[in-house]
Amino acid sequence: MTAPTTATDVNQPTLQPAAPTGRRLSWPVLLLIIAGALALTSLVRIVTGADGITNVSQMSTALQLAVPIGLAGLGGLWAERAGVVNIGLEGMMILGTWFGAWAGFQWGPWTGVLVGLAGGALGGLVHAVVTVTFNVNHIVSGVAINILALGATRYLAPLAFEGHPGGSAKQSPAIESLGHFTVPGLSDALRDLNAKGWFFVSDIAGLLGGLVTDVSWLTLIAVALIPGTWWVLWRTAFGLRLRSCGENPVAAESLGVNVYKYKYLAVVVSGALAGLGGVFLSLVANPFYLEGQTSGRGYIGLAAMIFGNWMPGGLAIGAGLFGYTDSLNLRGGSANVHALLLLGALLLVIGAIWLAVRKKYVQAAITLVVGALVFAWYAGTDEVPNQVVSATPYVITLVVLALSAQRLRMPKADGLPYRKGQGK
């Protein structure tokens, strides 16, 4: 006889996620590391004179660029916590950009937000049907959705936008803005403090100033979704059942959990969140739809999720890091990236010392050599090529994932096929 589905039943040892490999960082230690990184960045700013790396405008741009990456990563987290790999985040973001811009042009920006959510959710539903019901390989399904979304929007864009002022086969007319806000008084005070160039204090002011200057209402919603996701998935019975489907679906089914239902819900929510990231691109970052607007942000969002070890807090840090490096393209890119070469060299030296303390002498020597080469690059040049500036976000993505790979632990049943009743 099937046991009833209750929070008490599901909260059994067999359904608890296994402990991550390695030691988890406590919040005080994590905050100390972040403060140390910011202090080192401040030192580099003073030495190099590259004030742009922590000014208010740079941080505001970084936040704007981090939001769609974070939303895509959050979508990936929902799906993969339920055991479904979602490579199709890029395609779902593309659907969000087109549907959001189309509805925003027709009926206003907030309607565009809702329709863009629905467009992304539609992509998620297709992915759920193909992977959960028909057990198609998750990677194959995700790649197919990316291709189909691109093809569908290329077909629909000329039908919807051609013939309207400012519209074309690849671009929508301008769309009414969702609006921005700046916290009066506080924004000006932080900007003035940032302009003083003081060690650490001015850099903190720049970081906080970017959070209260020219902020979109959709940004507030996106930021609120980070703790909201944590609370739903880690503090509710619903979240425990959903995560159990990604860890041990057979055990979850034996306790009465409808595994198919939770996988479907998770993947549809995943698509909706990715679609919301697309809406942000077409209604906030640029007030129009443009073909190729996502520029691979769905994949970077997936990388941010992996960097964050499938946790909302780590995902937010990863999205912020990738958004910051991407912002270097827009504001003083060459000078800022050149200054960050010195920061990279210092971080590599610190990493080498840490490895040596842990008696990993070969790795420490290699890290030290790489750090010396990066410093030589910094000392021997006054700027970096524009191609390097453009590639910086993607290089940072690869480096960060390579360095954090040993601490990662994906959900045990992530990407594995599942059939109802297979444990009997």
Side-chain angles (χ1 to χ4, degrees), residues 312-368:
L315 182 156
I317 294 173
L321 175 62
F322 301 140
Y324 175 76
T325 55
D326 201 13
S327 70
L328 298 175
N329 288 322
L330 302 179
R331 296 186 176 275
S334 181
N336 289 341
V337 172
H338 183 260
L340 291 181
L341 288 176
L342 178 58
L343 176 62
L346 292 174
L347 289 174
L348 286 167
V349 170
I350 293 172
I353 295 172
W354 171 250
L355 289 169
V357 169
R358 299 181 66 185
K359 298 182 179 180
K360 297 182 178 181
Y361 300 116
V362 175
Q363 295 94 320
I366 294 173
T367 304
L368 188 61

Side-chain angles (χ1 to χ4, degrees), residues 144-334:
I145 286 174
N146 292 339
I147 296 171
L148 287 172
L150 182 60
T153 53
R154 281 182 174 176
Y155 172 76
L156 293 171
L159 300 178
F161 303 135
E162 275 188 337
H164 296 282
S168 69
K170 296 185 177 182
Q171 180 177 319
S172 74
I175 303 166
E176 182 184 349
S177 172
L178 285 170
H180 294 73
F181 73 91
T182 296
V183 179
L186 180 59
S187 175
D188 292 334
L190 290 171
R191 191 181 290 274
D192 291 340
L193 185 57
N194 176 247
K196 294 184 182 297
W198 294 339
F199 174 74
F200 193 69
V201 175
S202 291
D203 302 284
I204 291 288
L207 176 61
L208 296 178
L211 302 178
V212 296
T213 304
D214 291 331
V215 180
S216 166
W217 295 105
L218 196 55
T219 299
L220 286 184
I221 295 173
V223 171
L225 286 170
I226 299 292
T229 290
W230 174 82
W231 184 81
V232 170
L233 293 185
W234 275 269
R235 287 295 181 269
T236 66
F238 168 84
L240 180 58
R241 295 186 187 109
L242 187 146
R243 287 185 294 119
S244 73
C245 296
E247 295 289 343
N248 194 335
V250 174
E253 182 187 354
S254 71
L255 293 174
V257 175
N258 187 333
V259 176
Y260 278 14
K261 180 181 78 172
Y262 281 93
K263 284 180 179 288
Y264 261 86
L265 285 172
V267 180
V268 170
V269 170
S270 173
L273 289 169
L276 186 60
V279 169
F280 188 92
L281 291 173
S282 60
L283 296 185
V284 178
N286 297 298
F288 51 84
Y289 164 80
L290 183 65
E291 187 178 301
Q293 201 163 23
T294 57
S295 299
R297 287 181 176 86
Y299 300 113
I300 298 179
L302 197 63
M305 178 205 68
I306 296 171
F307 164 78
N309 206 12
W310 289 264
M311 296 291 291
L315 182 156
I317 294 173
L321 175 62
F322 301 140
Y324 175 76
T325 55
D326 201 13
S327 70
L328 298 175
N329 288 322
L330 302 179
R331 296 186 176 275
S334 181

